[in-house]
Amino acid sequence: MGSGDSWRKIAALIGVFVVLKVQAVPTHIGDNADAGELSDDILDINRGLTHLFEGDIAVDPSRNAILDKTRRWKFPIPYILSDSLELNAKGVILQAFEEYRLRSCVDFKPYEGESSYISFTKLSGCWSYVGDNGTGRNVSIGARCDTKAIVQHELLHALGFYHEQSRSDRDDYVKIWWDQIEEGKEHSFKKYEDDFITDLNTPYDYESIMHYRPLSFNKNESIPTITTNIPYFNEVIGQRLDFSAVDITRLNRMYDCANTHTLLDQCSFELINICGMIQNEEDTADWAQTLSSPADTDHTLAGHCRDSGYFMKFDTSSGAAGSSALLESRILYPKRDEQCLEFFYKMTGAAGDKLVIWVRTDDGTGALRSFKKIHTITGNGDAAWKIAHVTLKVTEKFRYSFQGIRGSADSSGAILIDDITLTETICPSAVWQIHNFNHVLATTPNGSAVKSKCFYNSEGYSFGVSVYPNGQHSAYPDYVGMNLHLCSGENDTVMQWPAKNRQATIVAMDQDPDVKLRMSSTRSFTTGRPRSLAFR
């Protein structure tokens, strides 16, 4: 698996769509994260560093890495994580690598003496050179730069990209308020003609992770230096959540990416070909592609779009007890030795209906005839959409399958599945799902928490999650606060205490069914110093 092996255990909070990746837990809480990492952007962190161009680009570039193909990287890019980096910074760099692998053909490998490489180091501020010069490049992940989004931003510079507002046509989309720019920083708002940089035939992107924020290099703390011609986007520019859809399009166009490294399959069942999935002809029933209705709503779109909002449905209201239908994927060819199958499901019948996950592999003859049962979900009468993560460990070509089984002759409902994603990544180890989060927001006072049950991580530590829907403190009522806390567990007497130097990652996850387009907010910290995190 390589560097992805480090991020093994995840607890997910779905409803607010938050994923918590933990290898251990802090011993207590405090020190609100809003005091630093959520309020400071790259330019705030780098304030006072005079050797940087446009705030976070090392040296004034004389050539453009986008148009000059000799300065584009060959993959995989060798990398060094220097000893100067803090543990949390190393973790978020590896997380950023996995985001590139999921969404593009960009890849990384540990340095083995190559002449061209990226060295991540802790210097003053967050910055990068632009493009590959053939002799090695530094990327600085300094103090307060250790978030995944900042690493993604600096790596896009290293891969050959400039800031969004540097485009030649930027004045059609934003206004630069020159009289509000800090003296000596006017060069940071320079724009380049299209013979120097290229937009790769993509539109101006207010959502780009490479765009400046409104208050960049401002004289007055409340007066912007850059505003959008469409006022709505004044609240959008400078987002540090994740890649935008256009960021990914440009990256894949620049490097001629046809495939990604870790995405094997995904389907939201909106098209009639149902993503190449097939029915088993030996079954007593079939799965049916079904349009959303008030009685059965689609997970993705909830039927809000005309002629959209499809899912797959196995009717359990007729047939003999034990009758079943098998829906199989196309043939898939893995590159890693572990996969995560994520999907949403709903079981509307009486308790007892079953949804079984199978894989079918080579039986030694080249044919996929060897079946293995992987996971079984049994309906409990709770007819709500739920998320599931199922670990597959397949090293050769295979199909995965969903088998619906009617539990009894009294069953009168259906089994629904939607929004399937299969990635060659590590699955969550525990899931906590909060339903009807709008109601929770409306009824939970500021400072009050909703608490999960206790989970175990891979080492045996027991922990739980506290969510403050309307903020943990009165100063932050517009933030959802989240804490990890220890639970008393069965392994306490044999565990090492305190549980230091483990990384916890909290992800506010976008619900887009296309995993390549999800814009999720991520914060990480390491145990040893108490932290609590908040998301606006």
Side-chain angles (χ1 to χ4, degrees):
M1 283 288 296
S3 60
D5 280 348
S6 301
W7 317 115
R8 285 218 167 253
K9 297 306 171 186
I10 304 168
L13 174 65
I14 305 299
V16 218
F17 287 92
V18 171
V19 176
L20 295 136
K21 306 179 181 181
V22 298
Q23 288 188 284
V25 293
T27 54
H28 57 291
I29 60 176
D31 187 18
N32 196 288
D34 294 310
E37 62 184 37
L38 290 188
S39 59
D40 290 343
D41 191 26
I42 296 168
L43 302 184
D44 302 311
I45 296 168
N46 290 353
R47 188 174 293 274
L49 300 181
T50 59
H51 67 288
L52 298 177
F53 182 73
E54 293 189 7
D56 69 335
I57 297 175
V59 306
D60 191 340
S62 60
R63 301 174 70 193
N64 176 38
I66 293 179
L67 292 179
D68 184 355
K69 293 187 178 181
T70 65
R71 298 184 67 188
R72 297 184 185 178
W73 293 90
K74 305 296 189 297
F75 304 137
I77 300 172
Y79 70 88
I80 299 170
L81 301 182
S82 73
D83 292 339
S84 64
L85 291 170
E86 295 177 356
L87 178 61
N88 193 62
K90 292 179 179 180
V92 298
I93 290 167
L94 296 178
Q95 292 172 24
F97 288 173
E98 286 297 277
E99 293 296 333
Y100 276 92
R101 292 179 179 120
L102 178 65
R103 302 162 192 255
S104 72
C105 62
V106 177
D107 198 7
F108 304 86
K109 65 177 287 294
Y111 175 73
E112 295 179 305
E114 295 86 352
S115 60
S116 185
Y117 59 90
I118 293 177
S119 178
F120 294 90
T121 186
K122 182 181 180 181
L123 299 172
S124 295
C126 337
W127 51 262
S128 174
Y129 290 86
V130 177
D132 177 16
N133 69 345
T135 61
R137 291 294 209 186
N138 277 337
V139 172
S140 175
I141 305 300
R144 296 151 54 210
C145 302
D146 53 347
T147 69
K148 187 181 72 172
I150 287 180
V151 176
Q152 288 172 305
H153 177 107
E154 298 306 335
L155 272 175
L156 279 177
H157 280 317
L159 286 163
F161 292 89
Y162 288 86
H163 292 119
E164 182 68 8
Q165 72 283 342
S166 297
R167 286 170 53 134
S168 62
D169 62 351
R170 65 102 182 274
D171 293 332
D172 294 330
Y173 304 96
V174 299
K175 179 175 177 59
I176 307 301
W177 299 90
W178 295 98
D179 59 339
Q180 295 300 326
I181 297 172
E182 182 182 345
E183 185 176 352
K185 296 297 183 181
E186 293 85 359
H187 66 86
S188 296
F189 293 86
K190 180 180 179 180
K191 66 178 179 180
Y192 303 103
E193 296 306 317
D194 52 17
D195 61 349
F196 185 76
I197 64 173
T198 174
D199 60 20
L200 294 159
N201 199 27
T202 57
Y204 193 91
D205 185 17
Y206 291 117
E207 296 181 345
S208 175
I209 200 172
M210 303 303 287
H211 207 294
Y212 274 1
R213 287 182 174 178
L215 299 177
S216 298
F217 296 112
N218 56 320
K219 289 179 182 177
N220 187 304
E221 65 180 14
S222 62
I223 300 178
T225 55
I226 181 170
T227 56
T228 60
N229 292 354
I230 301 174
Y232 169 84
F233 289 103
N234 283 319
E235 301 297 321
V236 174
I237 57 172
Q239 64 83 13
R240 297 295 179 259
L241 303 176
D242 216 324
F243 299 117
S244 71
V246 177
D247 287 334
I248 294 303
T249 297
R250 289 176 187 154
L251 181 63
N252 286 323
R253 286 184 182 178
M254 178 173 169
Y255 285 99
D256 296 323
C257 295
N259 297 297
T260 74
H261 288 282
T262 59
L263 178 60
L264 282 179
D265 197 20
Q266 61 179 3
C267 192
S268 59
F269 301 111
E270 294 303 310
L271 301 180
I272 197 165
N273 70 346
I274 58 174
C275 309
M277 300 191 80
I278 59 174
Q279 307 275 0
N280 189 303
E281 296 180 355
E282 299 176 4
D283 277 330
T284 54
D286 279 331
W287 290 84
Q289 185 185 29
T290 305
L291 181 62
S292 180
S293 68
D296 283 332
T297 58
D298 169 80
H299 174 261
T300 314
L301 302 171
H304 294 161
C305 301
R306 180 179 177 182
D307 298 327
S308 295
Y310 285 88
F311 51 84
M312 297 302 289
K313 177 179 180 179
F314 169 57
D315 189 349
T316 61
S317 64
S318 62
S323 60
S324 69
L326 194 71
L327 182 68
E328 293 192 273
S329 75
R330 58 187 174 85
I331 298 175
L332 299 161
Y333 299 86
K335 296 177 182 177
R336 295 181 172 186
D337 59 5
E338 186 166 348
Q339 301 80 34
C340 182
L341 178 63
E342 175 190 285
F343 59 93
F344 287 83
Y345 69 94
K346 181 162 70 170
M347 306 175 83
T348 64
D353 290 343
K354 293 181 178 181
L355 178 61
V356 185
I357 312 303
W358 299 81
V359 294
R360 192 149 61 108
T361 56
D362 191 341
D363 63 358
T365 67
L368 299 183
R369 289 192 291 242
S370 181
F371 273 92
K372 180 180 179 181
K373 183 185 292 187
I374 303 298
H375 186 69
T376 300
I377 299 171
T378 302
N380 59 6
D382 179 10
W385 280 107
K386 302 179 180 68
I387 193 171
H389 296 87
V390 178
T391 296
L392 312 181
K393 294 181 179 287
V394 188
T395 58
E396 56 189 352
K397 67 178 182 179
F398 71 102
R399 296 180 188 268
Y400 64 90
S401 307
F402 295 92
Q403 182 186 25
I405 302 175
R406 189 182 193 212
S408 70
D410 298 327
S411 182
S412 59
I415 302 173
L416 284 56
I417 57 174
D418 204 1
D419 295 349
I420 298 168
T421 301
L422 179 65
T423 57
E424 295 202 82
T425 55
I426 305 301
C427 263
S429 61
V431 174
W432 176 32
Q433 187 164 358
I434 298 178
H435 293 292
N436 195 2
F437 194 68
N438 284 337
H439 176 73
V440 175
L441 279 172
T443 58
T444 306
N446 173 262
S448 297
V450 179
K451 295 189 175 183
S452 74
K453 69 176 185 180
C454 293
F455 306 110
Y456 285 91
N457 80 337
S458 60
E459 294 176 285
Y461 290 100
S462 180
F463 68 95
V465 181
S466 299
V467 174
Y468 296 80
N470 291 294
Q472 185 174 357
H473 305 293
S474 59
Y476 301 103
D478 297 328
Y479 288 80
V480 175
M482 300 179 193
N483 292 331
L484 297 178
H485 58 265
L486 284 176
C487 297
S488 178
E490 61 185 21
N491 305 318
D492 287 356
T493 58
V494 297
M495 302 306 298
Q496 181 181 359
W497 303 102
K500 292 184 176 181
N501 296 325
R502 277 77 169 181
Q503 186 180 49
T505 298
I506 296 180
V507 183
M509 191 180 78
D510 185 356
Q511 194 178 339
D512 195 307
D514 186 343
V515 67
K516 301 189 302 298
L517 301 181
R518 289 177 187 166
M519 295 179 65
S520 301
S521 182
T522 303
R523 291 293 183 271
S524 299
F525 59 92
T526 50
T527 59
R529 185 167 73 92
R531 298 299 301 269
S532 61
L533 301 180
F535 294 88
R536 193 163 193 168

